[in-house]
């Protein structure tokens, strides 16, 4: 379901959540709280992180969650891209989830999204948020969501399976698509007149037009909306 990388450590024992050293390209080596002394035998390792727009949030303990946000940038893209033929605006947001587990442990996780504020782009009536996994080559696009198996929040994910004492890492690529079908307002305008040049004067036929418009909040004022991921270490 995603990209996988494997380490060569051996460890057993009690699980301790690890932090990670990240590069701009990919996840590098994990180290427990940044201390190599914690990589001693007889100690299980676990790690959990989410990366969006090259910014990572890394769990610092087994009860810690990680987050990223969508907000002004995503709302602006949604509005600027305009509606589809059904009057729906949408934006796609890619993100990666990186997992590490060892010593007979695996790791599952869940994905959830906060309730948006009313009066915002993502808080309009008719807003939906769905998630779906992608691989290294599949794009995270609005069009892809039309044919993918999508999941509404909260999403429970079977992540990294336990593999005995050998630790392993895995990176799952995901796509979030926010869709908004805003209300429209319609009004009719008409006009008619009198032919003053005729004798006798006569009325001219009227012209009318129907006007329809979307009413969208200003995306520049969009507040951040948190997407929260929770690790679930699973013993073998």
């Amino acid at each position: 379901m995603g990209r996988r990388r494997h380490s060569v450590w051996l460890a057993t024992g009690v699980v301790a959540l690890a932090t990670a050293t990240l590069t701009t390209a990919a996840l590098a080596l994990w180290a427990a709280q940044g201390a190599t002394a914690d990589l001693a035998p007889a100690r299980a390792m676990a790690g959990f992180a989410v990366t969006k727009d090259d910014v990572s949030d890394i769990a610092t303990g087994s009860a810690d969650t990680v987050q990223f946000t969508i907000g002004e940038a995503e709302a602006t893209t949604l509005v600027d891209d305009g509606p589809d033929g059904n009057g729906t605006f949408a934006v796609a947001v890619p993100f990666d989830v990186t997992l590490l587990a060892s010593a007979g442990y695996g790791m599952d996780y869940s994905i959830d999204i906060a309730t948006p504020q009313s009066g915002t782009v993502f808080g309009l009536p008719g807003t939906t948020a769905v998630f779906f996994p992608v691989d290294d080559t599949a794009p995270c696009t609005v069009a892809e969501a039309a044919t993918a198996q999508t999941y509404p929040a909260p999403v429970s994910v079977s992540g990294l399976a336990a593999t005995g004492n050998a630790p392993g890492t895995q990176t799952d690529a995901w796509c979030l698509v926010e869709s908004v079908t805003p209300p429209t307002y319609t009004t009719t305008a008409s006009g008619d007149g009198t032919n003053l040049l005729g004798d006798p004067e006569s009325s001219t036929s009227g012209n009318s037009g129907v006007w329809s418009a979307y009413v969208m909040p200003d995306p520049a004022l969009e507040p951040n909306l948190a997407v929260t991921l929770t690790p679930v270490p699973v013993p073998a």
Side-chain angles (χ1 to χ4, degrees):
M1 182 175 68
R3 299 185 291 277
R4 290 170 170 79
R5 302 181 181 84
H6 298 277
S7 69
V8 294
W9 301 332
L10 295 178
T12 58
V14 179
V15 167
L17 199 74
T19 62
T21 301
L22 295 170
T23 69
T24 56
L27 174 74
L29 295 177
W30 295 75
Q33 306 299 334
T36 55
D38 287 339
L39 296 176
R43 183 176 180 84
M45 302 298 301
F48 190 70
V50 66
T51 303
K52 180 238 182 190
D53 294 335
D54 295 325
V55 176
S56 297
D57 186 22
I58 304 166
T60 59
S62 58
D64 193 21
T65 61
V66 296
Q67 287 187 344
F68 67 88
T69 61
I70 60 174
E72 177 185 348
E74 291 77 17
T76 299
T77 298
L78 178 145
V79 173
D80 289 349
D81 285 352
D84 63 14
N86 297 317
T88 298
F89 296 73
V91 63
V93 182
F95 63 97
D96 288 340
V97 183
T98 305
L99 309 95
L100 174 143
S102 72
Y105 280 84
M107 185 175 289
D108 297 339
Y109 59 96
S110 64
I111 309 171
D112 206 355
I113 188 168
T115 301
Q117 299 177 24
S118 61
T120 64
V121 172
F122 296 132
L124 286 171
T127 300
T128 61
V130 296
F131 298 86
F132 61 95
V134 293
D135 57 30
D136 285 332
T137 58
C140 172
T141 65
V142 172
E144 188 76 13
T147 57
Q149 174 64 60
T150 59
Y151 305 92
V155 185
S156 297
V157 183
S158 296
L160 179 63
T163 57
N165 288 335
T169 63
Q170 175 176 306
T171 300
D172 296 342
W174 283 88
C175 190
L176 161 64
V177 171
E178 280 272 350
S179 301
V180 179
T181 306
T184 58
Y185 289 84
T186 302
T187 187
T188 301
S190 63
D192 47 41
T194 302
N195 181 3
L196 300 178
L197 300 179
D199 187 14
E201 297 174 354
S202 62
S203 297
T204 61
S205 59
N207 294 314
S208 64
V210 177
W211 301 84
S212 180
Y214 298 101
V215 177
M216 299 287 285
D218 185 353
L221 303 178
E222 191 73 10
N224 284 338
L225 185 65
V227 177
T228 301
L229 297 92
T230 304
V232 183
V234 180

